[in-house]
Amino acid sequence: MLGKLTWSAIPFNEPIPLMTSIVVIAVILAVLIWVTMKGYWTYLFEEWITSVDHKRIGVMYCFLALVMLIRGFADAIMMRGQQAVAYHSGGYLPPDHYDQIFSAHGTIMIFFVAMPFVIGLMNFVVPLQLGVRDVAFPTFNSVSFWLTASGVLLVNLSLFVGEFSRAGWLAYPPLSELKFSPGVGVDYYLWALQISGVGTLLTGVNFVATILKIRAPGMTYMRMPVFCWTALAANLLIVAAFPILTATFAMLLLDRYLGFHFFTADMGGNPMMYVNLIWAWGHPEVYILILPIFGVFSEVISTFSGKPLFGYRSMVAATMTICILSFLVWLHHFFTMGAGADVNGFFGIMSMVIAVPTGVKIFNWLFTMWGGRVRFEAPMKWAIAFMITFVIGGMTGVLLAVPPADFVLHNSLFLVAHFHNVIIGGVLFGAFAGYNYWFPKAFGFKLEQKFGTAAFWFWVVGFYLAFFPLYVVGLQGMTRRLQHYDVAAWRPWLMVAMVGAICILCGIACQVAQLLVSIRDRASLRDRTGDPWDGRTLEWMTASPPPHFNFAAMPDVTGEEAYWGIKQRAIAQAQMSPLPKYAAIEMPRNSLTGFVTAFFAVITGFAMIWHIWWMGAIGIAGAFATFVLFAWRDKVEYELPADELQAIDARRREAREDLVAGREAGIHPVKIEEKEETVGLGLRDPHGGYVGPAPKRIVTGFGFWVFLLSDFIMFSGFYAAYAVLSHATAGGPTPEHLFDLKIVAIETACLLLSSFACGMATIASRARNMLWTQVSYLATGLLGLAFLALEVSEFAKMLGEGAGPDRSAFLSAFFTLVGCHGAHVTVGLLWLGTMMAQFFTKGFKPSIMRRGLCFGLFWHALDIIWVGIFTNVYLLGTSP
């Protein structure tokens, strides 16, 4: 009944995991008791758990990242301690536990520290900088966060129940295959990342739609803050890269659960295909992390230099250039694969070329500081430390991009030092800069500076002490992931690295103390005006913290630094901008959808890990029911009346009187050139330009197109696997012997006709003709069922002939590619049934019409995908 789950899954005979589990459980229970005694459950439920406010969700992402930073660093300091004492000895960590620790450390730090921190900053800041009230799809934003939290929970469950992967943070096969990793550790890894990856993909779709379709009037692309540009580039990469990860992990799961042969060492499997696919996601992932951080530094350096960002257009161009080039460098992670000098040479050159736009950014930041009034507040200190540290990391990266040098340094601690040089010195320092910079905006008071300064120096000094010795021992030949070693020359450097890790621990302790002291002294640290740093972008126009609607009236944007212009004109005239014209607005209601979906996701993931199939079925059914209930809601928004908006905005304007009068400390009047265009709140730009957020139908359709693009990319991953393995028949049947083109042609005709019927349903719904809408949708469903029945019969025939997916790598790839399309058709039919019922019971409401639009796009996309499969798999597979 409980599958593989037994009492032996609890680590009773391993003191370190057992004691850690007891401490963690005790801390969680203490927090729950404290929340209960204080009576905070109602507040947490209404303001956080069910919130769809992008600001609340952003804060929760950042909080999750900080908690997991402590969890991931615990693994790091254990590794450093192990290597410090493991000279001619086994140390205090047995090999099995040490392998789990380094695998968990990399997984947690990338997927559950860096990613949530970056996404949290984007969530909080981007809509504010765009001058809008929320993201394109607020409820899906909540779902994204809670799915990420589900992945976090599964990873941490492995500490108490079972084990974690021992195959490294990327789980290379064949080590991660069932034959060599028969436990549940790799399964914890795969299901946690698969679930959280879906959440990340939804985030990417959400922010691409938001940035491209929902901006304040006048906010043209070349007036967007650089942080919004870097967020756009990062989320485009998420949409393009994460489907590859989803497909790759799906193939490894099929290998482990159903005996497929994608990456096995027999039956035609190809382990190197996994390495290619994982790094086709992996290197864009580096830029998914670092690009928004570049945006953070652009905002920080401009603000604390008191100048506009130097070379705005070149920064935009460099950002988008990196976005494109990031997909042309992945092979430098495995030059030693043996691809040949020409392939290695190309990717080596491209890895050097991508450093050029990064260099452009560094010089632009330096030129921004040049001649400015530089204020060395905490965010600026992190920015300066970043520029020095990241340049060093970049230079070592260019060195590793030279194939002959990489052959020597590959898999050594030199590589580990380089990776941490750019991730800690780049991503983490940038996240800390953003944390310090936007904290007053999120909570209404600044962070205390003494502990902040101490944390800064402990982190910077600790980083150099912890990782620069690894460059040395890497050059001396020390490889990564050594549980013990026998070379005396390495030991002093590893002892220094341990001292560095202790310094970083002190830095984390100072950050915790800083937060606690800041909360205690929040009255004296209060941000009264909403603009504590003399900011330049629109988020500083709002109160601190901003109201849930952000702006009582959307600002009109007439330049690259809209708020700076408004502020300086107000200071010059010693009066506030004219009152805007207030109008009632609609805001999204809170939703439990994200939390409930995450609950069922955790149940499903845990059940699949331990092979508890009935529990997995309950989880999947529950998640589907949750989305059906979400789609059935009638009241998804509530209205805020104009007089309430005016009253709230009046308090914001009153708080800014000292700022406008020039009495606020840290605000420096600057003479600005007057332009013909006017700037004001609630007034349309008289010279035209971007007119404001697109209608809901356009935003919904565009967002779904972006989602379908990600789906096409996932299918491309499966097709790439099929293309590689199409001749790996392992002596078994070939396409010529298996495929019946007559049956497949009938399948194709059914699907194409169903697409035509779906188009007719769309036309009928626009004409508000219920009868023909239902008849056309019914025809769509019947033809879809016919297609599915023929496909199932085709699979059954193959299985009956012994040509199942476990027979060869070719058949594994075929069943997966075609079966994935069939799964999409099944989901489409379930969706169709739900939507027909909605049309029948609710009529042609705008929300139902938008869902009909999305379904039509989805069904037609399935046709396009099938035409590609029919042509490339069936026709070309059987051609002589």
Side-chain angles (χ1 to χ4, degrees):
M1 185 176 179
L2 294 180
K4 296 163 64 175
L5 184 59
T6 64
W7 283 108
S8 63
I10 310 298
F12 292 118
N13 59 341
E14 298 182 44
I16 295 177
L18 184 63
M19 292 304 300
T20 304
S21 302
I22 293 171
V23 170
V24 171
I25 291 171
V27 170
I28 292 173
L29 288 175
V31 170
L32 293 177
I33 292 170
W34 178 76
V35 170
T36 303
M37 293 179 63
K38 290 288 187 179
Y40 289 156
W41 282 113
T42 301
Y43 167 75
L44 289 174
F45 182 82
E46 294 178 353
E47 296 293 330
W48 296 95
I49 293 174
T50 62
S51 177
V52 296
D53 181 353
H54 71 95
K55 300 179 292 296
R56 299 281 196 192
I57 292 171
V59 170
M60 288 192 290
Y61 265 116
C62 292
F63 177 76
L64 181 69
L66 290 170
V67 171
M68 292 306 291
L69 173 64
I70 296 173
R71 165 72 174 85
F73 181 76
D75 289 336
I77 201 165
M78 289 175 72
M79 286 189 291
R80 291 273 63 84
Q82 168 69 17
Q83 290 193 332
V85 301
Y87 173 65
H88 279 311
S89 99
Y92 65 93
L93 290 174
D96 178 76
H97 191 192
Y98 183 77
D99 291 350
Q100 291 183 57
I101 285 176
F102 70 65
S103 301
H105 170 73
T107 303
I108 288 169
M109 287 302 198
I110 294 298
F111 290 98
F112 300 124
V113 175
M115 283 297 292
F117 221 145
V118 167
I119 291 174
L121 292 176
M122 290 192 294
N123 250 292
F124 184 84
V125 176
V126 167
L128 288 168
Q129 288 196 340
L130 293 176
V132 297
R133 297 189 173 100
D134 214 316
V135 295
F137 310 108
T139 302
F140 282 142
N141 200 22
S142 172
V143 172
S144 297
F145 167 74
W146 286 110
L147 287 177
T148 301
S150 301
V152 168
L153 182 56
L154 285 175
V155 166
N156 286 293
L157 270 176
S158 69
L159 186 67
F160 315 123
V161 185
E163 61 184 6
F164 194 67
S165 170
R166 304 184 190 92
W169 78 279
L170 287 178
Y172 283 0
L175 179 58
S176 57
E177 291 283 357
L178 193 62
K179 180 178 179 180
F180 302 103
S181 296
V184 296
V186 175
D187 299 324
Y188 265 115
Y189 169 90
L190 290 172
W191 285 108
L193 298 190
Q194 198 75 306
I195 290 170
S196 64
V198 172
T200 303
L201 178 59
L202 290 176
T203 295
V205 172
N206 211 341
F207 276 90
V208 170
T210 300
I211 296 170
L212 294 182
K213 291 299 178 183
I214 305 181
R215 305 188 302 279
M219 180 74 79
T220 60
Y221 291 136
M222 296 313 294
R223 291 175 179 173
M224 290 196 308
V226 169
F227 183 72
C228 293
W229 272 106
T230 57
L232 174 63
N235 284 284
L236 287 170
L237 287 175
I238 287 174
V239 171
F242 265 80
I244 302 173
L245 183 71
T246 300
T248 306
F249 282 167
M251 287 185 271
L252 184 54
L253 283 166
L254 289 170
D255 277 7
R256 290 182 58 84
Y257 279 74
L258 298 177
F260 284 32
H261 294 287
F262 284 104
F263 311 122
T264 58
D266 59 355
M267 306 304 287
N270 190 334
M272 275 312 304
M273 183 174 67
Y274 179 94
V275 179
N276 265 286
L277 288 170
I278 203 73
W279 281 115
W281 160 82
H283 203 82
E285 164 68 5
V286 174
Y287 293 99
I288 290 169
L289 296 176
I290 199 62
L291 282 174
I293 296 304
F294 287 165
V296 170
F297 288 124
S298 296
E299 304 298 333
V300 166
I301 291 171
S302 175
T303 296
F304 292 103
S305 298
K307 288 175 56 182
L309 185 67
F310 180 89
Y312 169 84
R313 292 176 181 270
S314 64
M315 290 292 267
V316 172
T319 298
M320 301 315 292
T321 300
I322 291 171
C323 181
I324 295 168
L325 293 179
S326 65
F327 274 101
L328 299 175
V329 295
W330 83 87
L331 195 132
H332 70 216
H333 291 276
F334 44 96
F335 281 140
T336 55
M337 179 181 72
D342 50 351
V343 174
N344 284 356
F346 172 80
F347 281 95
I349 291 169
M350 294 310 300
S351 301
M352 298 175 196
V353 168
I354 202 170
V356 174
T358 306
V360 169
K361 289 176 176 288
I362 295 289
F363 282 109
N364 281 354
W365 292 322
L366 292 173
F367 287 136
T368 301
M369 295 172 63
W370 180 263
R373 184 188 286 109
V374 179
R375 291 172 286 150
F376 293 99
E377 300 281 357
M380 193 64 175
K381 293 174 185 175
W382 286 110
I384 293 171
F386 153 78
M387 283 192 282
I388 297 169
T389 308
F390 193 77
V391 166
I392 296 171
M395 289 190 296
T396 60
V398 172
L399 173 62
L400 289 168
V402 180
D406 185 77
F407 267 73
V408 177
L409 298 171
H410 182 77
N411 212 38
S412 72
L413 282 183
F414 188 96
L415 173 63
V416 172
H418 157 72
F419 187 70
H420 286 80
N421 207 154
V422 294
I423 295 299
I424 294 180
V427 177
L428 208 52
F429 283 10
F432 291 155
Y435 166 69
N436 281 269
Y437 183 56
W438 282 303
F439 187 93
K441 179 56 59 181
F443 296 102
F445 58 93
K446 289 183 178 181
L447 287 168
E448 191 272 342
Q449 289 303 299
K450 289 183 179 178
F451 277 109
T453 300
F456 167 78
W457 285 111
F458 273 124
W459 262 101
V460 173
V461 173
F463 166 77
Y464 280 92
L465 287 175
F467 291 100
F468 272 58
L470 303 191
Y471 281 122
V472 177
V473 293
L475 288 170
Q476 291 177 347
M478 185 174 182
T479 56
R480 65 201 305 189
R481 300 168 180 156
L482 290 182
Q483 187 261 349
H484 63 277
Y485 57 94
D486 300 320
V487 181
W490 297 346
R491 193 180 188 193
W493 296 105
L494 294 173
M495 296 296 289
V496 173
M498 181 60 196
V499 172
I502 294 172
C503 287
I504 293 175
L505 177 63
C506 294
I508 293 174
C510 286
Q511 286 174 310
V512 173
Q514 177 194 32
L515 181 59
L516 296 176
V517 170
S518 300
I519 294 171
R520 185 195 67 189
D521 300 339
R522 59 188 178 277
S524 61
L525 297 168
R526 182 72 59 192
D527 170 22
R528 295 178 299 146
T529 67
D531 186 11
W533 306 122
D534 194 13
R536 313 179 75 86
T537 45
L538 287 175
E539 72 268 31
W540 305 110
M541 177 184 284
T542 64
S544 294
H548 54 284
F549 52 81
N550 292 348
F551 299 91
M554 279 193 186
D556 276 329
V557 177
T558 58
E560 292 173 11
E561 295 182 313
Y563 172 60
W564 182 256
I566 294 171
K567 177 170 62 177
Q568 292 302 326
R569 286 180 175 83
I571 292 173
Q573 298 167 7
Q575 64 179 11
M576 296 288 290
S577 302
L579 276 174
K581 183 178 180 180
Y582 297 101
I585 61 173
E586 291 183 336
M587 293 298 296
R589 292 179 179 271
N590 283 3
S591 174
L592 199 55
T593 303
F595 184 78
V596 175
T597 302
F599 172 76
F600 286 117
V602 171
I603 287 178
T604 303
F606 188 80
M608 299 304 290
I609 289 164
W610 290 100
H611 296 194
I612 310 172
W613 308 123
W614 60 268
M615 185 187 292
I618 291 174
I620 294 170
F624 177 74
T626 302
F627 277 101
V628 170
L629 291 174
F630 164 68
W632 217 271
R633 295 190 309 168
D634 283 323
K635 296 179 180 180
V636 297
E637 294 176 329
Y638 66 96
E639 185 177 276
L640 277 171
D643 56 351
E644 184 178 340
L645 292 172
Q646 185 170 357
I648 295 173
D649 198 43
R651 294 194 290 271
R652 178 192 69 87
R653 293 171 65 87
E654 182 182 355
R656 288 178 172 253
E657 289 180 355
D658 283 348
L659 185 152
V660 170
R663 295 191 296 268
E664 185 68 21
I667 304 297
H668 304 284
V670 176
K671 184 178 180 181
I672 59 175
E673 297 181 5
E674 293 293 336
K675 299 181 181 179
E676 292 183 3
E677 53 191 14
T678 60
V679 182
L681 258 170
L683 303 174
R684 283 296 173 87
D685 180 356
H687 299 283
Y690 181 74
V691 297
K696 288 182 180 178
R697 179 178 174 83
I698 299 298
V699 174
T700 302
F702 181 80
F704 200 75
W705 265 117
V706 177
F707 172 77
L708 288 176
L709 173 62
S710 71
D711 208 32
F712 279 116
I713 295 170
M714 184 188 70
F715 270 100
S716 298
F718 289 131
Y719 179 73
Y722 179 82
V724 170
L725 302 175
S726 58
H727 297 291
T729 59
T734 61
E736 296 88 344
H737 299 104
L738 289 174
F739 300 156
D740 186 342
L741 288 183
K742 293 180 181 179
I743 300 297
V744 178
I746 297 173
E747 289 181 48
T748 305
C750 287
L751 197 60
L752 292 175
L753 287 172
S754 74
S755 190
F756 175 78
C758 183
M760 295 301 295
T762 302
I763 295 171
S765 65
R766 290 181 180 176
R768 303 298 193 272
N769 188 317
M770 181 62 72
L771 174 62
W772 281 105
T773 298
Q774 295 287 0
V775 168
S776 299
Y777 276 140
L778 180 61
T780 303
L782 291 174
L783 288 165
L785 280 172
F787 168 84
L788 211 54
L790 289 170
E791 191 168 279
V792 169
S793 68
E794 178 189 18
F795 281 10
K797 180 175 178 291
M798 291 182 182
L799 291 171
E801 295 173 353
D806 57 346
R807 176 63 184 83
S808 68
F810 152 66
L811 285 167
S812 296
F814 167 77
F815 272 88
T816 301
L817 177 61
V818 178
C820 182
H821 180 270
H824 276 64
V825 173
T826 304
V827 170
L829 291 173
L830 293 171
W831 184 3
L832 175 60
T834 303
M835 201 173 59
M836 288 175 68
Q838 286 184 310
F839 269 114
F840 183 75
T841 57
K842 297 187 177 185
F844 298 100
K845 290 184 177 181
S847 60
I848 308 299
M849 293 293 289
R850 290 195 295 271
R851 289 166 197 158
L853 167 67
C854 292
F855 174 78
L857 293 174
F858 177 77
W859 200 258
H860 298 318
L862 295 185
D863 265 24
I864 295 170
I865 293 169
W866 180 255
V867 168
I869 293 173
F870 177 67
T871 303
N872 292 289
V873 174
Y874 289 98
L875 292 182
L876 294 181
T878 56
S879 62

